Amino acid sequence: MARKILITGGAGFIGSHVVRLFVKKYSNDHIYNLDTLTYAGNLENLKDIENENNYTFIKEDINHTDNISELFNKYKFDTVIHLAAESHVDRSIADPISFVRTNVMGTMNLLNAALETWREDFSDKMFYHISTDEVYGTLGETGLFTETTSYDPNSPYSASKASSDHFVRAYGETYGLPFIISNCSNNYGPNQFPEKLIPLFINNILNKKSLPVYGDGNYTRDWLYVIDHALAIDLILNDGKVKETYNIGGFNEWKNIDLIKLLIKQIDEKLNHTPGESEKLITYVKDRPGHDLRYAIDASKINSELGWKPTVTFEEGLSKTIDWYLNNKEWMNRVTSGAYQEYYEEQYK
Ligand code: NAD
Ligand code: DAU
C-alpha cells in the first residue's frame, strides 16, 4: 500500500537527508515535507529533488494548531517522521521559551492531529519521533547511554526534547497511538547550519577567524555521519517495533579538542597549508553553562535487532563534509549573511 509520509523539519540539516532518501527510495509513496523555514530551514538543501512527482513541500508552523489539524484532514497522512525542532543548545540557553513552544507544544499539536485522524483505525499508522541522546543528561568518564538509562536533561533544549519524548510515549500508553522514538548522538555532514561545532569551525578556518573552544575542550561527543542517521531512521520505520525506543550512535567518541585538531589537519592538507597552520586560530573561551561532559551511545540494540551499523568512518565522513563545504561556498555565504552575524556577535562577544 502506498504510504503518505509526513516529514516535519525536512528543510533542516537531518530532515533534508531523510527527505531525499525517502523521495528517491520510495517512488510509490508520497513524501510531504512540512517546515516553517526558520533560520535553520533552507529549501536550497532539496533543490535536486524538489520537482519529483512524489514530493510536496508545505510551508507551515507546527505551532499553528488549527492549520496542522486541517492538513491531517486534507492529506490523510498515515506516517509521521517528526524532526521539526529548535535544535541548538546555545540558543536554548538564550531563549528557552521558543524551545518549549516548538519542541513541546508543536509536538503536542502533531500528536493531537494524528490521534484525531487515526483513532478509528490505528492499523498501518506510525508516529515516529526523532529525539536526541541529550535527554539522558551527561556521562562521567565511563559508561554508555542505553535505551533504559533514566532521563536527566540539563539544558533547556534537552529538557524540551525529553518532555516531547514523554508526551509521545504517553499518547501511546493512554490513547494507543502507535509510536517509535529514536535517540541519536551528534550528527555531522553536508548542509549543517554553521552554529554547530563542525560547520562553524570549518567556516572559521576557511575565513581565518578564531576557533572558540568552550572551557578546556575536554568535552566528549559521539559523532555520526548524517546519512547513516537517515539510513537508521528508514530501517527503524520499516522494521522497528511499535512502542520501542532505539538508540543510534556512531561508536565514535571524540574529545572536542582532538576532533578540532583532526579537522584542522584535514583542512590544512586539502588547502596545502603548512601542517598545523590553522591550530593558531584555537581560542579557549568561556564555557557553555550546564555543559554536559560526555555523551556516548550504546547502539547494540539497533545493531543486533535491525542489523544497522554506521557505513562511514569518521575520517571519511569528515573529509566528505569538508569537501562539501569547500564546494558549496555560496550556500555558506547565504546562510551566514544577515541574522547570522547578529547571532555570532551575541554568542561569541
Ligand atoms: P535543524 O535545526 O537543522 O533543523 C530543524 C528544522 O525544523 C528546520 O528546517 C526548521 O525550519 C524546522 N522547524 C523549526 N521550528 C519549526 C516549527 N515551529 N514548525 C515547522 N518547522 C520548524 O535541526 P537538525 O539538526 O536537523 O535536527 C533535526 C531533529 O533531530 C531535531 O528534532 C533534533 O532534536 C534531532 N536531533 C539532532 C541531532 C543533531 O546532531 N543535529 C542529533 C540527534 C537528534
Ligand atoms: O547529542 C545530540 C545533539 O548534538 C543534538 O541533539 C543537538 O541538536 C546538536 O546541536 C548537538 O548538540 P551539542 O551541544 O553536542 O552540539 P554542538 O555542535 O553545539 O557542540 C558540540 C560540542 O562542541 C559541545 O561540547 C560544545 C562544543 N562547542 C560548540 C560550539 C558551537 C565549542 O567548544 N565551541 C563552539 O563554538
Side-chain angles (χ1 to χ4, degrees), residues 9 11-15 35-38 40-41 60-63 83-85 87 102 130-132 157 161 184-187 196:
F13 166 48
I14 301 170
D35 197 301
T36 197
L37 303 179
T38 67
E60 188 53 81
D61 188 331
I62 59 170
N63 295 305
L83 296 108
S87 69
T102 287
I130 305 300
S131 193
T132 169
Y157 163 68
K161 290 297 290 187
C184 189
S185 64
N186 285 61
N187 285 215
K196 309 279 164 57

Side-chain angles (χ1 to χ4, degrees), residues 200-212 281 344:
L200 188 144
F201 276 42
I202 292 174
N203 189 38
N204 283 14
I205 294 169
L206 298 183
N207 289 297
K208 299 193 186 316
K209 282 175 69 174
S210 69
L211 305 175
L281 299 171
Y344 199 93

Side-chain angles (χ1 to χ4, degrees), residues 64-341:
H64 293 160
T65 313
D66 293 344
N67 296 357
I68 292 297
S69 293
E70 276 171 30
L71 287 166
F72 270 79
N73 276 330
K74 178 173 175 190
Y75 291 110
K76 303 273 185 274
F77 311 117
D78 46 50
T79 306
V80 176
I81 309 176
H82 175 35
L83 296 108
E86 290 293 339
S87 69
H88 191 42
V89 173
D90 293 327
R91 288 187 195 253
S92 82
I93 295 166
D95 178 19
I97 289 291
S98 63
F99 282 67
V100 176
R101 201 176 298 124
T102 287
N103 299 359
V104 185
M105 293 308 296
T107 301
M108 291 295 290
N109 287 332
L110 291 165
L111 285 169
N112 285 329
L115 185 60
E116 280 313 306
T117 318
W118 299 348
R119 71 184 331 152
E120 299 302 319
D121 180 10
F122 284 131
S123 54
D124 299 319
K125 309 293 191 305
M126 178 55 71
F127 192 102
Y128 180 2
H129 180 60
I130 305 300
S131 193
T132 169
D133 60 356
E134 299 201 11
V135 297
Y136 300 123
T138 188
L139 292 163
E141 296 293 339
T142 58
L144 298 171
F145 295 134
T146 72
E147 286 79 1
T148 56
T149 302
S150 301
Y151 276 33
D152 190 17
N154 290 316
S155 73
Y157 163 68
S158 53
S160 68
K161 290 297 290 187
S163 174
S164 63
D165 292 11
H166 290 321
F167 274 109
V168 173
R169 200 180 313 279
Y171 270 55
E173 294 302 327
T174 307
Y175 309 111
L177 187 86
F179 76 89
I180 295 185
I181 299 173
S182 59
N183 296 80
C184 189
S185 64
N186 285 61
N187 285 215
Y188 71 98
N191 307 94
Q192 189 169 29
F193 192 80
E195 62 190 352
K196 309 279 164 57
L197 179 74
I198 291 180
L200 188 144
F201 276 42
I202 292 174
N203 189 38
N204 283 14
I205 294 169
L206 298 183
N207 289 297
K208 299 193 186 316
K209 282 175 69 174
S210 69
L211 305 175
V213 179
Y214 294 162
D216 61 6
N218 283 321
Y219 295 90
T220 299
R221 298 290 183 266
D222 173 357
W223 294 92
L224 178 68
Y225 194 58
V226 62
I227 291 171
D228 279 325
H229 188 187
L231 292 169
I233 289 171
D234 179 29
L235 196 61
I236 290 169
L237 180 69
N238 292 324
D239 298 345
K241 289 198 199 107
V242 180
K243 288 189 173 187
E244 291 276 323
T245 286
Y246 294 88
N247 277 358
I248 309 169
F251 304 96
N252 180 40
E253 282 186 57
W254 285 80
K255 278 196 166 45
N256 291 342
I257 193 64
D258 297 334
L259 182 161
I260 290 160
K261 287 184 178 164
L262 176 64
L263 187 68
I264 287 172
K265 181 168 174 287
Q266 287 202 0
I267 295 180
D268 281 349
E269 275 170 14
K270 285 179 194 287
L271 297 180
N272 293 320
H273 289 164
T274 319
E277 186 182 312
S278 305
E279 284 199 20
K280 287 184 223 133
L281 299 171
I282 291 177
T283 311
Y284 291 90
V285 300
K286 190 160 65 74
D287 210 348
R288 172 186 279 176
H291 199 165
D292 287 330
L293 176 69
R294 176 171 164 260
Y295 306 144
I297 283 276
D298 176 353
S300 52
K301 176 174 171 182
I302 184 175
N303 178 248
S304 64
E305 289 187 13
L306 304 183
W308 175 89
K309 62 177 187 327
T311 62
V312 177
T313 68
F314 191 51
E315 283 73 7
E316 281 165 3
L318 202 57
S319 173
K320 283 182 189 211
T321 303
I322 296 165
D323 289 344
W324 187 84
Y325 284 99
L326 286 173
N327 292 328
N328 289 277
K329 288 191 175 141
E330 283 308 309
W331 182 97
M332 184 62 96
N333 289 342
R334 277 193 280 276
V335 302
T336 53
S337 62
Y340 181 81
Q341 299 299 333

